[in-house]
Amino acid sequence: MIRISGVVLPGQKRIEIALTAIKGIGRPLSFRILKELGINKETHADDLSETDQARLRARVEKELTEGELTRKVSMDIKRLQDIGTWRGYRHRRKLPARGQTSRRNARTKRGKKKTGLSGRTTLTKT
């Protein structure tokens, strides 16, 4: 059981895949780190020696991961909102920020569909 950047890596998986459990490390970065350290990517996470674990931990600490990455992304979005850019406006309104259409789609970003008069009783003249 290896713990890197506050994340316990799944031991039964290959180290190349196990490293992707850390936020901010994907397959390409994982492959590059293992190649740089000379660790076989087919090795399972539980089978790494203590020295390899220490070298891997030290190398991953150099990358922007987990809380630091989340903080950086949120600060970047806040900066866009503060200076009044279009992207900041779209983020503030919880709309797609990269040019996608939002008239028909964008359900993931906009949330569950709200219909016009659902739930109301019929209006009667008095």
Side-chain angles (χ1 to χ4, degrees), residues 22-117:
I22 301 170
K23 184 175 182 176
I25 297 183
R27 293 282 295 273
L29 182 58
S30 171
F31 180 74
R32 201 172 339 129
I33 289 172
L34 293 174
K35 189 173 181 181
E36 180 182 312
L37 295 176
I39 298 173
N40 184 8
K41 65 179 184 173
E42 300 296 324
T43 309
H44 286 264
D46 282 341
D47 299 338
L48 283 177
S49 66
E50 289 295 325
T51 57
D52 284 343
Q53 288 181 23
R55 288 173 42 221
L56 189 61
R57 197 171 289 116
R59 176 61 179 87
V60 169
E61 291 298 323
K62 294 179 183 176
E63 298 295 330
L64 200 62
T65 57
E66 291 295 322
E68 300 165 10
L69 180 64
T70 306
R71 188 171 25 264
K72 181 186 181 311
V73 169
S74 65
M75 289 304 293
D76 289 345
I77 291 172
K78 186 177 180 330
R79 178 182 54 83
L80 289 172
Q81 290 174 351
D82 290 344
I83 62 177
T85 62
W86 180 253
R87 276 177 55 201
Y89 172 81
R90 301 294 283 182
H91 275 292
R92 189 178 308 123
R93 297 282 179 124
K94 293 187 170 70
L95 293 169
R98 294 188 174 183
Q100 299 92 334
T101 185
S102 60
R103 182 175 178 179
R104 294 162 206 85
N105 295 329
R107 274 292 140 222
T108 305
K109 188 71 175 165
R110 287 169 45 203
K112 193 169 167 70
K113 190 181 285 189
K114 301 174 211 88
T115 56
L117 296 173

Side-chain angles (χ1 to χ4, degrees), residues 2-18:
I2 304 173
R3 187 177 179 90
I4 300 176
S5 294
V7 177
V8 177
L9 299 184
Q12 71 278 11
K13 294 188 177 184
R14 294 181 305 141
I15 190 64
E16 180 185 22
I17 304 300

